Amino acid sequence: MTPTHEHLSTTGHWIDGAIVGGNGDTIDVVNPATGDVVATIPAGTAADVDRAVAAARAASPGWAATGPAQRASIIQRLADELSARNEEIAQAVTAEMGAPITLARLGHAGFPVAVASATAGLADEFPWTEEIGNSLVIREPVGVVGAITPWNFPLQQVMTKIAPALLAGNTVVLKPAELAPLTARLLAEAASDAGIPAGVFNVVYGSGRVVGEAIASHPDVDMVSFTGSTEVGKRISVVASATVKRLGLELGGKSANLVLDDADLDHAVNETLANAWTNGGQACGAWARMLVPASRHDEIVRMLVTAAKAYTVGDPTDEATRLGPLASEGQWSRVNGYIERGIADGAALVVGGPGRIPGLEHGAYIRPTIFANVDPDSVIAQEEIFGPVLSVIPYDDEDHAVEIANSTIYGLNAAVFGEDEHALRIARRLRVGQVYLNGARFNPIAPFGGYKQSGNGREMGRAGVEEFTELKAVQR
Ligand code: NAD
């Protein structure tokens, strides 16, 4: 049974600590597992953005004047408030974008708590002031931050922005993805209960074209922090340029996973599928390209085919499900199109394939898919698919592997499997912002962001807080 989330429908935005009515136009939030409308949100306008920005501007001096220690303790309270709402957040994410409920509890609802807590913990050590020669260098808040976020990890992508932005003393206007906006409502409630003052955190719902561009172009927004596709990142850069505002871009990826000849293959295969297919492959850092020695290609493909059998596709509310539907019908068409393209371009389909899954035709369900012997220059190896589609690419030697890994427009992250020092030597040659060696775990205080067209900034940890500060040098 699919629970309804009508109670999370809202007729208004969250501005200056209160629900503020929209103009009556609404956007439906659709459950991709069933096609049912589970909630509605207002379709915001430029006037709604004006109101939210005015509230954020008015709250800015007061919030900036509180010390980092006080802001850190409020952010820790926010983490606690969200932790108490774990089940409600998880249910909302599962309903709006189809994440399996176990992943929703642990990841979608759990990671943001870890990020908020870790960010609060940075306040003591952060260099708020520094002596350089005869200068006192002060890190100050940028001012009003506009945050524009995607649907794939809806609360996590918001938290990696608002926790550091608030810690640094900024105020925020958030536009969550219209496809997965329900946790923003829960976040606003949690922020209020945590003691974040009215106007410091505001939410305006709506489309990217209208609300997103109104934020990006607003003369009183000092910085836009955007996570989403490279295409939209470029558009936001153009729109924001008229006011020369600070821009933080976290964009797409096409991560390579390099399996070296001294890798533990069982481990590499299991970790690869777990990563590439988590969240239905709808992750910016998904290891979508597995680069393997040509001499081991067939053996590794056989191991992948066996390991793939453990991935059940089904109802995301069932705790046994590892892969739910994709987040929307639009996503389904896009991913299905890429699977068809891979076949047309001559890649060897060894797992999955295009089309609806018998018995699951009612939702945006797709087969997890593996292509072998993929040409590294082909469309499926170069473009971000954002679905559970793994391309296995054979390489001749390590120089060739590094060349393939670095050959896309993206540079978000990568993985290397092999003997530790060997893997580290390869990691240094990759033009990416993060590298995972032998399936190492995620670190919520390590800088996260991309080279090349994967972005121009870093989130999380100390680097993430620095993003949301201006530098002032006082000579004396
Ligand atoms: P998207 O770019 O379509 O949308 C992201 C956000 O931008 C949404 O809130 C959307 O409404 C808004 N938007 C759309 N057009 C806009 C415009 N013209 N002006 C202002 N805002 C606009 O991305 P998506 O489909 O929601 O998310 C998937 C993409 O996000 C993938 O490319 C993925 O790699 C990327 N992503 C990157 C990271 C990262 O940290 N680098 C993390 C998660 C997702």
Side-chain angles (χ1 to χ4, degrees):
M1 196 197 88
T2 308
T4 174
H5 291 264
E6 194 51 39
H7 66 289
L8 289 177
S9 288
T10 175
T11 52
H13 310 288
W14 179 258
I15 297 175
D16 210 9
I19 294 177
V20 174
N23 67 356
D25 291 343
T26 58
I27 296 173
D28 290 340
V29 181
V30 176
N31 182 332
T34 61
D36 295 340
V37 173
V38 290
T40 55
I41 51 162
T45 62
D48 297 321
V49 172
D50 283 343
R51 266 191 277 183
V53 172
R57 175 60 61 198
S60 180
W63 183 243
T66 60
Q70 193 183 341
R71 293 196 293 267
S73 83
I74 293 177
I75 292 166
Q76 182 53 52
R77 279 212 293 282
L78 174 62
D80 298 340
E81 291 291 340
L82 290 173
S83 187
R85 290 167 172 81
N86 180 285
E87 187 60 23
E88 212 180 342
I89 291 167
Q91 294 284 350
V93 174
T94 294
E96 67 190 355
M97 55 76 67
I101 188 66
T102 40
L103 173 70
R105 288 180 183 132
L106 281 170
H108 287 272
F111 289 163
V113 172
V115 167
S117 239
T119 307
L122 296 168
D124 281 351
E125 302 286 308
F126 190 81
W128 300 105
T129 59
E130 202 181 342
E131 302 277 351
I132 301 179
N134 69 323
S135 302
L136 176 69
V137 178
I138 308 170
R139 285 196 176 270
E140 298 185 340
V142 181
V144 174
V145 172
I148 303 175
T149 54
W151 48 260
N152 66 321
F153 277 93
L155 186 58
Q156 167 75 351
Q157 303 303 347
V158 171
M159 189 53 71
T160 58
K161 300 185 184 314
I162 71 162
L166 294 177
L167 181 67
N170 301 280
T171 57
V172 176
V173 175
L174 166 69
K175 189 208 91 65
E178 56 273 49
L179 201 146
L182 301 184
T183 54
R185 159 83 182 273
L186 296 168
L187 176 61
E189 285 171 15
S192 182
D193 290 352
I196 291 180
V200 170
F201 173 66
N202 307 276
V203 182
V204 180
Y205 301 95
S207 73
R209 269 275 165 228
V210 177
V211 174
E213 295 204 9
I215 290 173
S217 62
H218 204 290
D220 223 16
V221 170
D222 301 290
M223 170 175 178
V224 170
S225 177
F226 170 73
T227 300
S229 61
T230 295
E231 191 189 338
V232 172
K234 289 176 186 173
R235 171 73 190 151
I236 287 178
S237 302
V238 170
V239 173
S241 67
T243 47
V244 197
K245 51 175 58 76
R246 175 87 66 89
L247 207 51
L249 299 175
E250 298 288 338
L251 308 177
K254 187 73 180 178
S255 298
N257 163 18
L258 292 81
V259 180
L260 305 180
D261 53 10
D262 49 12
D264 172 344
L265 292 190
D266 273 326
H267 182 57
V269 162
N270 288 327
E271 290 289 316
T272 298
L273 287 188
N275 179 290
W277 289 351
T278 289
N279 212 36
Q282 300 164 122
C284 51
W287 306 340
R289 297 180 295 153
M290 187 181 195
L291 279 44
V292 304
S295 59
R296 314 291 294 272
H297 173 273
D298 293 357
E299 174 190 0
I300 291 172
V301 168
R302 277 195 300 275
M303 292 168 77
L304 284 166
V305 171
T306 303
K309 293 189 171 63
Y311 286 78
T312 48
V313 180
D315 179 354
T317 64
D318 181 341
E319 293 187 352
T321 293
R322 291 183 82 169
L323 283 158
L326 295 176
S328 65
E329 277 300 314
Q331 261 294 101
W332 190 91
S333 300
R334 175 189 159 92
V335 174
N336 194 59
Y338 275 114
I339 296 173
E340 288 174 344
R341 180 70 193 256
I343 294 169
D345 285 350
L349 179 70
V350 294
V351 171
R356 301 281 170 180
I357 302 177
L360 292 172
E361 296 89 347
H362 55 279
Y365 294 95
I366 199 125
R367 290 181 186 81
T369 293
I370 301 177
F371 284 110
N373 255 319
V374 175
D375 174 349
D377 297 326
S378 63
V379 168
I380 60 163
Q382 287 287 319
E383 296 185 8
E384 183 179 47
I385 297 175
F386 225 55
V389 181
L390 176 69
S391 291
V392 185
I393 303 174
Y395 65 80
D396 301 329
D397 57 30
E398 278 175 19
D399 286 347
H400 187 211
V402 170
E403 183 191 319
I404 295 171
N406 289 334
S407 72
T408 75
I409 61 166
Y410 299 110
L412 191 57
N413 77 12
V416 186
F417 287 86
E419 181 276 322
D420 290 343
E421 286 307 311
H422 184 191
L424 181 57
R425 281 199 303 279
I426 297 294
R428 289 182 182 278
R429 298 176 63 189
L430 302 175
R431 300 201 62 221
V432 296
Q434 288 213 336
V435 187
Y436 288 82
L437 303 188
N438 293 313
R441 69 179 193 284
F442 175 75
N443 175 0
I445 52 170
F448 183 98
Y451 284 35
K452 300 193 279 181
Q453 293 189 33
S454 285
N456 61 8
R458 293 294 180 273
E459 291 191 329
M460 294 199 266
R462 181 179 153 174
V465 181
E466 284 171 1
E467 285 256 310
F468 292 100
T469 62
E470 283 282 14
L471 286 171
K472 179 180 284 174
V474 181
Q475 281 64 247
R476 52 186 179 169

